[in-house]
Amino acid sequence: MSIPFLFCLALAGEKPGLEQDEVKLQIASKQIVQTAILRAVQQVSQESQQKEKRTNTSTSLQLERGKLTKKHEKK
């Protein structure tokens, strides 16, 4: 993940050591939060896809069972 341009400017500025450390901490904190949000969104997306696959599989199985039942009834 790249550091946003404005943060690079803030780091490049002539700030006393404590302020530079604070900026670095803010950048690190924002990156941690962004990463956590991205992972959470990916997890929700994966869970939704898995749920959809299970639903589709279940529906397919129900349809197949229905077809088999109808074939047996016709005989």
Side-chain angles (χ1 to χ4, degrees):
M1 194 174 287
S2 64
I3 298 175
F5 178 71
L6 293 176
F7 290 120
C8 292
L9 287 178
L11 286 176
E14 293 182 24
K15 294 186 176 234
L18 284 177
E19 288 186 33
Q20 277 189 343
D21 287 344
E22 188 174 317
V23 170
K24 288 178 184 178
L25 284 173
Q26 288 176 350
I27 292 170
S29 295
K30 287 184 179 188
Q31 287 179 335
I32 290 168
V33 170
Q34 287 175 342
T35 302
I37 291 170
L38 179 62
R39 287 182 180 165
V41 169
Q42 288 173 337
Q43 182 178 350
V44 168
S45 176
Q46 287 174 348
E47 289 172 358
S48 294
Q49 289 173 356
Q50 289 171 353
K51 183 178 180 181
E52 186 176 330
K53 284 180 185 177
R54 285 192 302 267
T55 301
N56 290 342
T57 301
S58 176
T59 302
S60 295
L61 287 172
Q62 289 173 357
L63 289 173
E64 285 298 317
R65 288 183 190 139
K67 287 179 186 176
L68 289 174
T69 303
K70 287 179 184 176
K71 284 182 183 176
H72 289 291
E73 289 173 358
K74 289 180 182 178
K75 288 184 178 182

